Amino acid sequence: MSTKKTPRRGASRRGARGLPAWVSGAALAGTFLALVWLEHRRPLRKRVEPRAVHTARNLAVAGLSAAAIQLAERPLVEPLARLVARRRLGLVQRLPLPAWARTALAVLLLDYTLYLWHVLAHRVDWLWRFHQPHHADLDLDASTALRFHFGEMLASVPWRAAQVAAIGAGPVALSLWQTLVVVEILFHHSNVELPADVERRLGWLVVTPRMHGIHHSIVREEADSNWSNLLSVWDRLHGTLRLDVPQEEVTIGVAALRRPSDVTLPRVLEMPFAEQRDAWRLPDGSRPQR
Ligand SMILES: [Zn+2]
């Protein structure tokens, strides 16, 4: 009996470890700093707000979000991923595949279900209240990638737990996907002008800055596209990919919240709880046209 148990315990110990925190932290910090440098060198869009004010505000919003993730998401989702791996729960754990293939499939499915979450964040009124502070940024850069309202982070905890449990994502798949998706989210929010042909090629695989810029448009028909987060394939499969809007014709933000006074730090934090305006109409009531 003990000879049977030992290898299983060994296997579960291996499965219990995700990527070391320093690897994820270094990837995040290194990507952020590299993008900030590139944004200085090759900006894609003209800035609306002074950079220092904008970055400080976004990092303050991000700090509260990080606290919400540490306090609410990690203590629930990480033990759940370990449990899923140990007990072989969820879809991929039941498939007769080698471990690397189970991990790869889990990463794909985590990314697909984040696409679905993003669609819900726009379609479900109370979720949009929490996603809107992210879109209300008048500029789009690497700091916007971190600017999610802490309420959106809290609201996404049950979804994240359901993703892990239903897919059967163990700690390796979860931490690998989280690291890749954060690096990608930093990249596609960044205000970096890549050569158009490089971006076109990259766009076959992952979400790119011009692609995601269209999703941040004040025009609803444009914002209702490009929901993918890591791989762009999900928008291709759903027919929701748009690449036909030149970046210089995109106005970034939420139509109803165009004044700098609408998007100060206190206004951003209270936004989900404040009286809601029709996000897709300008303050004069008209719909923005491109
Ligand atoms: Zn969005």
Side-chain angles (χ1 to χ4, degrees):
M1 195 170 168
S2 63
T3 51
K4 263 187 162 178
K5 267 191 165 173
T6 312
R8 223 166 57 209
R9 275 208 301 272
S12 65
R13 267 203 303 276
R14 280 199 298 280
R17 283 195 295 264
L19 289 184
W22 70 266
V23 172
S24 314
L28 194 158
T31 305
F32 183 75
L33 293 174
L35 289 170
V36 168
W37 180 73
L38 284 169
E39 285 173 344
H40 272 294
R41 300 281 306 245
R42 291 183 63 96
L44 173 63
R45 294 167 289 259
K46 253 197 223 128
R47 289 195 160 274
V48 175
E49 290 193 288
R51 182 170 191 142
V53 176
H54 175 256
T55 304
R57 182 195 307 125
N58 284 358
L59 292 182
V61 178
L64 290 170
S65 249
I69 291 169
Q70 288 296 328
L71 294 172
E73 183 180 313
R74 290 191 63 186
L76 177 72
V77 173
E78 290 183 3
L80 183 62
R82 289 196 291 274
L83 180 76
V84 154
R86 203 165 56 238
R87 299 261 179 94
R88 289 290 188 94
L89 304 171
L91 179 69
V92 305
Q93 300 289 343
R94 290 168 185 274
L95 298 175
L97 294 170
W100 67 265
R102 283 204 301 268
T103 299
L105 186 57
V107 168
L108 279 178
L109 292 174
L110 285 167
D111 198 46
Y112 178 56
T113 44
L114 186 63
Y115 168 95
L116 297 179
W117 169 260
H118 192 186
V119 174
L120 289 175
H122 281 251
R123 295 272 185 256
V124 178
D125 280 354
W126 72 269
L127 286 178
W128 170 250
R129 283 175 174 255
F130 291 100
H131 188 52
Q132 182 172 241
H134 173 68
H135 275 266
D137 202 343
L138 302 175
D139 288 296
L140 191 59
D141 67 13
S143 74
T144 316
L146 304 172
R147 169 201 161 119
F148 285 92
H149 196 279
F150 66 89
E152 182 171 7
M153 296 298 105
L154 294 175
S156 69
V157 171
W159 186 266
R160 190 81 68 249
Q163 283 178 292
V164 167
I167 293 166
V172 176
L174 180 65
S175 61
L176 184 61
W177 170 70
Q178 282 175 324
T179 305
L180 290 173
V181 90
V182 170
V183 166
E184 227 309 304
I185 285 176
L186 284 167
F187 168 66
H188 68 234
H189 284 91
S190 73
N191 188 22
V192 175
E193 185 186 27
L194 297 173
D197 60 326
V198 171
E199 182 155 349
R200 213 169 20 248
R201 276 166 220 223
L202 266 179
W204 280 100
L205 182 64
V206 294
V207 182
T208 62
R210 288 180 178 93
M211 190 189 292
H212 198 67
I214 297 171
H215 177 68
H216 274 260
S217 167
I218 61 169
V219 179
R220 180 161 203 175
E221 293 71 27
E222 294 169 3
D224 281 352
S225 71
N226 303 356
W227 319 88
S228 297
N229 298 281
L230 171 58
L231 301 171
S232 59
V233 64
W234 315 122
D235 277 304
R236 293 180 195 280
L237 285 176
H238 283 274
T240 51
L241 184 74
R242 279 194 75 165
L243 300 172
D244 61 337
V245 190
Q247 206 61 201
E248 57 277 13
E249 293 181 18
V250 175
T251 304
I252 300 292
V254 167
L257 305 167
R258 297 296 304 146
R259 295 178 297 242
S261 61
D262 291 327
V263 292
T264 58
L265 180 59
R267 295 296 300 274
V268 169
L269 294 177
E270 73 181 19
M271 205 173 274
F273 316 105
E275 200 182 324
Q276 303 290 300
R277 293 185 230 158
D278 182 345
W280 309 105
R281 288 184 188 274
L282 294 162
D284 68 5
S286 66
R287 286 192 176 274
Q289 304 294 328
R290 185 159 62 84

